[in-house]
Amino acid sequence: MGVDIVGLARPPGLLEISPDLARVPDPRDFADADQAVTALYQAHAVGLIRLAFVMLGDRPTAEDVVQEAFCGLYRRWSHLTDPAKSLPYVRSAVLNGCRSVIRQRARRDGRVAAEPPAASAETDALIGEEHRAVLAALRLLPPRQREALVLRFFLDLDEPEIARSMGISRGTVKSTVSRGIAALGQILGEDR
Amino acid sequence: MNTLEDRLRATAQAVVDVIPAGSAPPLHLAGPQRRRCRGGRLRLSGRRGWADWIAPIGAAAAVVAVTAVSLAATHGWLRPGEAGAAAGPAGTPAYYVSVASSWHAGGDAAVKSTATGRTLARVSAPRPFSSFTLVTAAADDGTFVLAAQGAAAELRDMQRSPGLVRTQPIALNALAAASTTSATWATNLPGMAADDLQQQMTSRTTVTQFFMLRIDSAPSAPRLSALPVPLESQPVTGAALSPDGRKLAVALASPGQLTIQVITLATGSVRTWRGETWKTPSLQPDSHPSINTLSWTADDRMLAFDWQGPSTEKPGQHVPLDLSVSELSTNAPGSNLAADSIPVFPAGYLIHYPGNAIVAPDGKLIIGSPLSGLVPNVRPTDTQYSTHSPYTVRSLWNFTGSADRVLWTNATGSVLIIATGFGSRDGMVGVLTRRGLIPLRSLGVPYSALVANSGEIAW
C-alpha cells in the first residue's frame, strides 16, 4: 500500500462529493424490497439526514425522519410502478416528514416557527458561529423557500430534481430559489 | 458566484463535517422495527395521548437509573467501568487509556471517557512490575496493550518461589482481573526459567512485559491478561497494536541499533528487523536515534514508523534532532530494517522540533510538527520521497496552530486528536476536524508529558 502524506497547512479544498452521493444503485438490480431499500439507504441516507438536519436543526429527529421515510418506501415497495423513482419518492417523504415535525413542534410550543432543540455542544463547535447564523436564517424562511434552497445548495440538485422532490414545476423552482435567496439576504443583513 | 451563495455552500460543507459519510445509523427492517415499518407510524417529537404521560414517567425512571448508577460508582457498589461512556466528539473513540510512569509516581493505567475525561477504571501493574510505561490501542474502542516495567531481580525472586509454575506459557484469553494479586500473576508468568534470568540479567536490569487490557461494553471491569510475548530487556521506545488487534509492533532501542519486532498475538511468533545507526557518545543517552511512533494500515501489512535523533554523527557537537518516516512491509521476507523498509518522508525536513507521524488505516501519513501546523518545510513541488514511487505532500485543513504530536487518527485521517499549543502556556489536547479544534478537557495527562513521550496515551 502506498502512503499518501497529508499535512495541515493549506486552506480547505473544495466541497467534496461524498461517495455515498456519487453511488446510485438501481433498485431494479435487487431481488427483493429488503435488498433494494437497504442499498438505497446505504447510498443516500447520509445526504438525506443532512437535508433533514438543516431543515430541523436536530440530528436525532433528522435520523428518525429519514428512517421513517425509508420504512414508508419499504411498506409501499410492491405498489411502486417504477422502482427507479424510489429516490425522488423517499426524498419527498423526508421533506414531508420534516414538515410534519415542524408542525408538531409549532403545535406543541404554541408558535408558528418552533425553535429546534438546543444543538449539542459538539455540533456547535463543529458548525461554528458563521454557519449557525446561516442555518438559523434558513429556518426563518417560508417552508417552500427553505426546502428549495436546501435542495439546491445542500444536496446540489438541479431544477428538474428539485421540482420532482417538491412536486412543483421547474419555473416555480426557479422563482422560489430566487425569492429564497433574497429573503435570506435580508435576514442576514446582506445586500445582493 | 455571489457572496450569499458562497455562504450557503460553506454552510453545506460544515454540515457535511458534522454528518460525515458513513455516519448514518443502520436501517432497521427486521424484527420489531420491521413491524414498525409495516404497520406503524413513527412518532416524532409530538407527544399526544398516552405518550403525554408515559414519556415523563420514562424520563423520570431514566433519571433514577442514571442516578443509581452514578451513586453506585461513587460508592464503589459497581466496579469501575460499569457505567460505560458515550462516544467522544466527532466520532472519536469513547475510551482512552493513559499511563503515568513518566510524570506521576505509581505508574497506574487509567481508563477514561473521551467525552468527559472521567476516570472509569484504574489498573495497577501486577507485581513484580512496578509501573505501566506505554499503551497502544486497537481500532475497536476497547482493546489496549500496556507495557509494564519491573526489576529483573524481583521477577527472578518470584519465579523461584516454591509452588509457582515458572515456565507455564500463558493463554491469551486466560484473563486475570484488574486487581490481580501477585501470586495469581506469578503462576502465569511466560516461559523464562529463573536460571535464564539469572544468567541474562543483572540485578539492575529492567524488563518489560506486555499485557492486554479489554474494556467490554457490558457492565464489567476492564480485564487484564499477560500476552504470550517474551520478556523484553531492551528499552521499549514505542509500540502499536494493529487495528484488528492481531499484531503488536514493538520498537526497541540501544546505542547503534534500532529494532522493530512484530508479534502475532494468536501464536506468539515474533519477527524481528534490525538496523544499524550511528552512536553519539558525547550526547545525552536519550538523543540516540530511536523509533517512537509506530502505526499500522488497516490491512495489517504495512507498518509506518518514524525515527528521530541527531541527523548525523558529530561527537561533541550539538546537532539538531530530525524526523524520518519509513514504511515496512511486514509480510515480505527479510530482517534488515534499512533494506526492507521504504523511506516515505526523508530526514532533513523537520529538524529541531520534529513532531511525529502516524499512518491512517487508509494509508494517509499524518505528520505533526510544532512549527506552524504540519510539514512546514515541505513544498508541494517536492514530490520524490521514495525510490519506489512518488508521494505527494498535500494539506488538509486550515489549521494554523501547531500540531505538536498526532495522537490518534480516524480511518481516513479526516479527524485527528492532537496535542497543540507549542510555545504557549496553554498546551492542550483536542479533536481536530476541518471545522476546528474541540478541546478535550480533564485529560489527566500533562501536556509536557504527552509531547515529550510516546505512548503515554492511546485511543
Side-chain angles (χ1 to χ4, degrees):
Chain A
M1 177 182 291
V3 171
D4 189 11
I5 301 177
V6 175
L8 291 180
R10 198 188 287 175
L14 296 174
L15 174 65
E16 286 180 5
I17 301 299
S18 164
D20 58 321
L21 294 178
R23 220 171 38 233
V24 184
D26 188 339
R28 291 165 294 195
D29 294 341
F30 299 96
D32 57 23
D34 282 44
Q35 288 182 20
V37 174
T38 301
L40 200 69
Y41 182 85
Q42 287 171 346
H44 296 286
V46 167
L48 292 169
I49 290 171
R50 290 172 191 152
L51 164 67
F53 173 78
V54 174
M55 298 290 291
L56 302 172
D58 163 25
R59 179 163 181 178
T61 308
E63 291 177 352
D64 281 350
V65 165
V66 172
Q67 169 90 19
E68 176 62 11
F70 277 91
C71 284
L73 175 68
Y74 181 76
R75 287 194 297 269
R76 292 169 182 79
W77 188 260
S78 60
H79 303 296
L80 281 180
T81 54
D82 182 1
K85 292 181 179 171
S86 51
L87 180 58
Y89 170 88
V90 80
R91 202 180 280 142
S92 298
V94 168
L95 289 176
N96 283 332
C98 291
R99 291 174 200 141
S100 295
V101 170
I102 292 166
R103 279 197 298 270
Q104 286 175 6
R105 284 177 180 165
R107 273 200 298 269
R108 187 187 64 202
D109 299 343
R111 295 198 300 268
V112 175
E115 288 295 315
S120 69
E122 177 191 337
T123 304
D124 275 355
L126 286 171
I127 287 200
E129 190 177 348
E130 151 75 9
H131 303 309
R132 283 202 303 274
V134 174
L135 290 173
L138 271 172
R139 292 189 195 107
L140 292 176
L141 293 177
R144 291 267 179 194
Q145 291 179 10
R146 180 194 320 164
E147 288 169 15
L149 291 187
V150 171
L151 292 172
R152 176 72 188 90
F153 293 101
F154 287 71
L155 286 197
D156 221 14
L157 300 187
D158 58 22
E159 284 174 3
E161 287 175 307
I162 297 172
R164 273 198 297 275
S165 298
M166 294 181 65
I168 57 179
S169 70
R170 289 179 60 176
T172 308
V173 169
K174 193 173 285 186
S175 60
T176 306
V177 168
S178 177
R179 281 198 292 271
I181 292 274
L184 194 68
Q186 283 187 338
I187 294 170
L188 292 169
E190 222 176 73
D191 294 329
R192 296 192 65 221
Chain B
M1 185 182 293
N2 65 47
T3 305
L4 196 50
E5 292 179 2
D6 284 346
R7 289 180 72 180
L8 276 167
R9 289 199 167 89
T11 303
Q13 177 62 58
V15 172
V16 169
D17 290 338
V18 172
I19 307 175
S23 66
L27 178 65
H28 297 295
L29 291 174
Q33 298 296 336
R34 171 176 282 184
R35 286 198 293 279
R36 186 181 73 173
C37 273
R38 283 189 169 148
R41 181 172 181 279
L42 184 67
R43 299 190 68 84
L44 300 171
S45 52
R47 299 196 300 267
R48 286 174 290 180
W50 59 271
D52 284 344
W53 55 267
I54 200 73
I57 289 177
V63 169
V64 169
V66 169
T67 306
V69 169
S70 173
L71 285 172
T74 305
H75 291 81
W77 303 339
L78 298 176
R79 286 174 297 178
E82 289 185 326
T92 49
Y95 304 104
Y96 68 91
V97 172
S98 64
V99 297
S101 60
S102 69
W103 53 274
H104 184 265
D108 289 352
V111 180
K112 296 194 167 207
S113 160
T114 306
T116 64
R118 184 181 171 194
T119 300
L120 304 173
R122 193 169 284 282
V123 184
S124 299
R127 286 190 60 207
F129 299 99
S130 56
S131 62
F132 289 119
T133 57
L134 186 148
V135 61
T136 174
D140 65 352
D141 198 9
T143 304
F144 299 82
V145 164
L146 293 155
Q149 214 169 56
E154 194 173 344
L155 182 61
R156 182 191 58 217
D157 293 343
M158 288 193 67
Q159 290 275 47
R160 285 179 162 173
S161 299
L164 298 184
V165 181
R166 294 180 305 182
T167 57
Q168 176 185 338
I170 187 169
L172 180 62
N173 293 318
L175 302 176
S179 57
T180 304
T181 64
S182 57
T184 305
W185 153 242
T187 57
N188 288 328
L189 278 171
M192 179 176 279
D195 292 342
D196 296 337
L197 281 173
Q198 176 74 26
Q199 290 172 5
Q200 293 181 16
M201 300 172 184
T202 69
S203 60
R204 289 187 295 176
T205 302
T206 299
V207 292
T208 300
Q209 169 69 42
F210 290 97
F211 292 84
M212 180 169 283
L213 182 76
R214 289 190 192 276
I215 304 166
D216 295 333
S217 55
S220 62
R223 297 171 299 161
L224 191 71
S225 61
L227 289 174
V229 178
L231 291 166
E232 184 52 62
S233 58
Q234 286 188 59
V236 176
T237 60
L241 191 58
S242 62
D244 62 9
R246 293 181 180 179
K247 292 181 179 176
L248 176 67
V250 177
L252 309 169
S254 57
Q257 188 172 71
L258 297 175
T259 302
I260 288 180
Q261 292 182 338
V262 172
I263 302 148
T264 303
L265 297 182
T267 62
S269 65
V270 180
R271 281 196 62 191
T272 302
W273 288 262
R274 289 193 176 86
E276 298 300 316
T277 67
W278 51 92
K279 296 181 181 180
T280 52
S282 60
L283 300 175
Q284 294 297 314
D286 59 1
S287 67
H288 291 300
S290 64
I291 295 170
N292 293 307
T293 312
L294 295 151
S295 50
W296 291 90
T297 53
D299 58 8
D300 277 9
R301 295 185 175 190
M302 300 304 296
L303 181 68
F305 62 95
D306 65 21
W307 65 273
Q308 303 181 9
S311 53
T312 56
E313 181 181 5
K314 293 180 181 176
Q317 297 180 25
H318 172 75
V319 287
L321 289 176
D322 203 348
L323 173 75
S324 172
V325 187
S326 301
E327 64 175 16
L328 178 68
S329 174
T330 59
N331 280 17
S335 61
N336 186 315
L337 194 58
D340 301 332
S341 60
I342 304 168
V344 294
F345 189 79
Y349 284 96
L350 292 176
I351 56 174
H352 295 287
Y353 305 104
N356 76 330
I358 62 175
V359 67
D362 74 350
K364 290 190 187 75
L365 190 68
I366 316 291
I367 300 173
S369 166
L371 299 178
S372 181
L374 300 191
V375 289
N377 296 323
V378 177
R379 297 185 302 276
T381 51
D382 296 328
T383 56
Q384 297 294 325
Y385 293 132
S386 166
T387 55
H388 293 245
S389 63
Y391 296 102
T392 303
V393 171
R394 62 190 176 85
S395 303
L396 275 186
W397 300 290
N398 185 21
F399 177 63
T400 54
S402 64
D404 311 343
R405 183 169 283 273
V406 182
L407 300 166
W408 177 86
T409 172
N410 67 354
T412 61
S414 61
V415 178
L416 307 177
I417 297 177
I418 63 167
T420 181
F422 174 78
S424 73
R425 294 170 57 191
D426 303 319
M428 59 177 292
V429 171
V431 178
L432 184 64
T433 72
R434 293 189 188 188
R435 304 312 314 158
L437 191 73
I438 305 168
L440 292 177
R441 307 291 184 195
S442 308
L443 203 66
V445 181
Y447 171 81
S448 56
L450 282 175
V451 176
N453 300 282
S454 174
E456 295 273 341
I457 195 165
W459 277 265

